[in-house]
Amino acid sequence: MARCDQCGNDYDKSFQLHLGGETYTFDSFECAIQKLAPICPHCQVRIIGHGVEQGDIIYCCVHCAEQEGADALTDRAP
């Protein structure tokens, strides 16, 4: 069993995610999202989709990006 890096639960069905050279252990997708998903700087929502980007900033949607003054957005969705 392995302990979740978010909630501390010791769970026999835990899984690991590798991100940016780091390895994390979680007991649920909920905990993985809570720990790793970026937060929209405008509305504070966790971004679990692809969002839109300007530079290093990720927004949950175009509306929030525009509210923050972004004017050169990148959408990486295919």
Side-chain angles (χ1 to χ4, degrees), residues 3-73:
R3 192 166 301 279
C4 178
D5 288 333
Q6 177 64 22
C7 72
N9 185 30
D10 197 12
Y11 187 51
D12 66 336
K13 294 175 182 68
S14 63
F15 60 94
Q16 291 186 327
L17 289 177
H18 304 277
L19 179 67
E22 299 284 328
T23 300
Y24 302 90
T25 301
F26 298 106
D27 68 344
S28 66
F29 287 117
E30 180 180 8
C31 282
I33 289 167
Q34 199 61 27
K35 182 140 182 108
L36 299 178
I39 298 172
C40 177
H42 182 72
C43 69
Q44 307 305 307
V45 165
R46 294 262 178 208
I47 304 167
I48 59 172
H50 57 78
V52 293
E53 303 176 29
Q54 181 166 312
D56 292 336
I57 301 171
I58 303 173
Y59 301 94
C60 67
C61 64
V62 171
H63 170 78
C64 284
E66 289 174 346
Q67 293 297 306
E68 293 291 311
D71 58 4
L73 298 173

